[in-house]
Amino acid sequence: MTDLIRSAGLSFYPEVARSVGLDPRQMMRKVRLPPAVLDKPDTPIAVSSLRRLLELSAEASGAEDFGLRLAERGGLTNFGAVGLIVREQATVGDAIKAFSRFIHVHHDGMKLVVTSDKQTVTITLHLRGRQPTAPRQSIDMALGSVHRIIQSLFGSDWRPQEVHLHYPPPHDRKRYRDFYGCRVTFNADDDAILLAAHDMERRIPSAHPLIANYLRKRIEAIETRPASWEAKVDEVVRTLLASGDCTVERVAEHLACTRRTIHRRLAASGTSFSAILDAQRADLVIQLIDDPDRPLADIAAQLGFSAQSAMARWFRGRFGCTITAWRKGVRPLEKATDIPSASAA
């Protein structure tokens, strides 16, 4: 199953890529990642595509710390709603627990396990994937981001006790010691950050308990990420339709597969890409036509119809009336079930 991550994880990729002599858009095209996702931080993209991009960028540039460079520039804002709820917790311990609790909302293949004894708290990173262990650039980006987030809660003078990394040591170990500010052990059993147990009690002065409670309820309502192919395709279609760029080829890019794979897996689930696209169009078109000043030709283009007339035929078949009648308040008792096909651009 394809794991997804919010494209906000790429927010600083162009800057870092250029700093090591790479063309960011050219590199993204090599791994079939649409450059347009850079402008839409909530767009779901395949974790496997992000991993290939990081590894290829490190190899092409010779920058073995490429993942660390991304983590260095990032922060809570890269994690969207998850970052907001972390920031509003009363203590560092509460913030770390909230981060581990909700991280899958941002990255559904990432897991943080928090264990503790009387003196030490260990935050262990797990990245799901086909390989026995995730590539080192993905580890550096993910664990480095966790470090930066904890550091932002304390201030720049905080340092962990130790950092463990499962892969062999790089050529420049000092780079890692400087980034984490502590001893870094390579060839370890896990990828983890160790901090003092009393650090968890540190209060966060800017915290707002009421806001934290509100955000928790909001994120709990959306925290279940889709698990089936049907649900993942549905999520990507919904996002791309809103931006006016939804085709089966584009969805395949976001899921790091081919259009044939999408059609085959959806058929095995008893549905089709056309059925998912139709359902999402039906939800979105009602929102769009509620604005009488929005030209119907623009709506048709956003929804992927070849012409306004094609959308008009589809709408009548889907809702049992014309768009003009709907705007005037006509609501047929039942939606039409026999939906005529309409060509899409």
Side-chain angles (χ1 to χ4, degrees), residues 15 32 85 124 147 187 199 229 238 273 277-278 288 323 337 342:
E15 176 185 337
R32 300 183 68 238
I85 196 171
T124 304
H147 167 73
N187 289 318
D199 283 346
W229 265 91
R238 182 169 61 252
F273 181 80
L277 178 61
D278 185 82
L288 297 178
I323 296 176
T337 56

Side-chain angles (χ1 to χ4, degrees), residues 176-193:
Y176 285 74
R177 289 196 301 270
D178 290 346
F179 177 83
Y180 287 107
C182 67
R183 184 177 69 177
V184 179
T185 300
F186 296 92
N187 289 318
D189 292 333
D190 296 300
D191 301 296
I193 295 175

Side-chain angles (χ1 to χ4, degrees), residues 207-223:
H208 293 82
L210 291 178
I211 296 178
N213 186 53
Y214 168 76
L215 289 170
R216 180 180 293 276
K217 291 179 180 178
R218 289 291 302 274
I219 203 170
E220 284 175 347
I222 63 171
E223 69 170 316

Side-chain angles (χ1 to χ4, degrees), residues 41 87 99 140 149 187 206 215 229 236 245 270 289 304 308 328:
R87 186 185 63 189
F99 195 38
D140 282 353
I149 286 172
N187 289 318
S206 61
L215 289 170
W229 265 91
V236 176
D245 185 24
I289 65 174
Q308 181 179 328
K328 290 179 179 179

Side-chain angles (χ1 to χ4, degrees), residues 284-285 287-303 305 307-309 311-312 323-324 327:
L284 184 56
V285 73
Q287 302 174 42
L288 297 178
I289 65 174
D290 274 346
D291 180 3
D293 296 325
R294 187 187 291 266
L296 293 181
D298 291 350
I299 296 176
Q302 177 172 343
L303 295 179
F305 289 101
Q308 181 179 328
S309 58
M311 181 180 72
I323 296 176
T324 301
R327 280 179 163 175

Side-chain angles (χ1 to χ4, degrees), residues 8 37 39 60-61 115 120 124 126 130 151-152 167 176-177 214 249 259 332 343:
V37 302
D39 301 319
S61 65
T115 56
T120 305
T124 304
H126 298 277
R130 294 180 180 178
Q151 191 173 57
S152 72
Y167 53 74
Y176 285 74
R177 289 196 301 270
Y214 168 76
E249 290 82 8
R259 58 180 294 171
S343 58

